[in-house]
Amino acid sequence: MALALTVTGVAAPGAPGATAASASTGSSSFGLADPSTVQAIDGTYVTYGTTVGSGAGPRCGAQSGVTLYVPFLNHGSGDTVGMSDCVAGDALPSGPGSWAVDNGAIWAPGVTQFNGKYYMYYTATKAGTGQKCIGLATSGGAKSPFTNKGIWACPGGGRWAIDANPFVANGKLYVAYRDDAITSHPETGISIVQVGSDGFALWNTRRDALKSTDLVWDTINDSGTTHVIENPSIFVGGSGHYYLLFSGNNWNSARYSTGIADCGPNPIPSTRCTLLKDGANQPYFGYTGSGGLGPYRGLPGNHTGPGAMAAFYTEGNRRCVVWAWYDTATGKRHPIIGELKLDSSGFYVE
């Protein structure tokens, strides 16, 4: 992210020029981690995120004084994405389901629309364990309460499956997710799998997309013991190839950053995806100031710790991304939206 645009549309030194069509709306003041954005049936946009506590606010439609398991912001309309500073509701008010820890937090809900239904893949803690696994919920509307369908992925040996992000390609539904079952500690990995009409995985289609051993920047000044790559999301580039967005390093630091890898012409890669630019040694997008990891390009606002970037498309088929940045002063993460574009030097966001 070394080519940064400010949110007001003024190009930073070396950045591509901003245009009036920019989808960047500025960061929301509401603290919402691990965002995922879809368009609702009424044409507005819905951005979901990780569980917030009873005191989180402001709220504009969401019940006050209660935990919101999958809080969502409602904003924009048509081809104008917009942004909101208040939480409009809870998409999963019943919580993570009987398979998970009662009243436990939900992480990183990923949502898409497929064949007239909305599919949500979310992370929770398996009951009686400390293991993070993925659950599935569905709904007829983006803002209607989702119904739990049960556990979706929970590897053996206590390895984690988290951060599932669904996408539609060639009339089929797929899910990219962090899959620690394809590695051993301290490494992590990312898998892609096709799913059936019920939303559950067709496991014989699963393939490795990336492993933490493919890069080194995920461990630079790392304060933990795990080599973290996570929060995958797939988008289609100008070449017709499928590209993988992913996050790495510590989420609660200025170092948290975003990589991009080319996965080839098919939704499920035949071999592991190829990191763009010098992607083994530096993130593609990240904070360009002191404490960052020297990314290839910056992002609108040049905020610290930009990660959990997820792709979505507008009503007019503009390719956009939503991500969260980490406020090192307050310890909160905030969602922000921009348009993902391509020039002769590669992908950039404005």
Side-chain angles (χ1 to χ4, degrees):
M1 302 190 181
L3 294 182
L5 291 178
T6 66
V7 213
T8 56
V10 179
T19 70
S22 172
S24 182
T25 59
S27 175
S28 173
S29 61
F30 189 87
L32 192 70
D34 306 313
S36 173
T37 300
V38 298
Q39 190 173 29
I41 295 170
D42 64 5
T44 63
Y45 292 88
V46 179
T47 295
Y48 310 88
T50 285
T51 295
V52 298
S54 58
R59 304 187 179 196
C60 50
Q63 185 178 350
S64 61
V66 299
T67 294
L68 304 177
Y69 289 104
V70 179
F72 65 84
L73 312 181
N74 194 199
H75 47 90
S77 183
D79 205 37
T80 301
V81 179
M83 181 45 83
S84 172
D85 292 322
C86 59
V87 64
D90 184 349
L92 199 60
S94 61
S98 60
W99 66 268
V101 171
D102 289 344
N103 302 318
I106 290 172
W107 292 0
V111 182
T112 197
Q113 185 185 27
F114 178 65
N115 286 347
K117 184 185 295 185
Y118 287 85
Y119 293 78
M120 176 191 292
Y121 296 85
Y122 63 90
T123 300
T125 305
K126 184 179 179 182
T129 74
Q131 184 183 10
K132 299 295 183 182
C133 300
I134 298 169
L136 168 65
T138 63
S139 176
K143 292 175 276 190
S144 303
F146 281 67
T147 300
N148 273 299
K149 298 298 182 180
I151 200 163
W152 183 82
C154 202
R159 299 292 282 161
W160 284 15
I162 66 172
D163 297 350
N165 210 309
F167 66 99
V168 178
N170 301 326
K172 298 176 181 178
L173 183 60
Y174 300 85
V175 174
Y177 64 103
R178 174 176 148 185
D179 181 10
D180 294 356
I182 66 173
T183 63
S184 57
H185 185 78
E187 309 299 339
T188 57
I190 291 170
S191 285
I192 301 175
V193 66
Q194 184 183 338
V195 305
S197 59
D198 61 358
F200 286 93
L202 305 174
W203 288 114
N204 63 331
T205 69
R206 191 214 60 81
R207 296 292 183 273
D208 300 356
L210 201 69
K211 294 184 179 182
S212 56
T213 51
D214 295 328
L215 59 150
V216 298
W217 58 264
D218 61 307
T219 60
I220 295 175
N221 296 323
D222 183 8
S223 61
T225 59
T226 303
H227 299 176
V228 174
I229 59 170
E230 58 191 10
N231 290 120
S233 178
I234 299 292
F235 70 91
V236 180
S239 62
H241 279 208
Y242 292 85
Y243 290 86
L244 169 69
L245 295 162
F246 67 95
S247 303
N249 214 291
N250 292 126
W251 67 266
N252 56 351
S253 74
R255 300 184 306 279
Y256 201 51
S257 302
T258 299
I260 305 181
D262 184 348
C263 297
N266 300 307
I268 295 181
S270 56
T271 60
R272 292 219 296 272
C273 307
T274 303
L275 293 161
L276 297 191
K277 304 302 179 182
D278 187 21
N281 298 303
Q282 66 173 167
Y284 195 98
F285 291 133
Y287 175 56
T288 64
S290 175
L293 296 179
Y296 174 64
R297 285 187 158 167
L299 286 168
N302 194 32
H303 297 296
T304 47
M309 183 176 283
F312 69 97
Y313 292 82
T314 70
E315 188 172 288
N317 207 36
R318 286 192 293 141
R319 182 177 55 218
C320 292
V321 284
V322 60
W323 69 98
W325 63 277
Y326 179 73
D327 188 335
T328 55
T330 65
K332 292 184 178 181
R333 298 171 76 187
H334 298 273
I336 183 171
I337 288 173
E339 186 168 357
L340 181 63
K341 296 186 174 183
L342 180 66
D343 67 8
S344 59
S345 298
F347 294 103
Y348 66 98
V349 177
E350 68 174 22

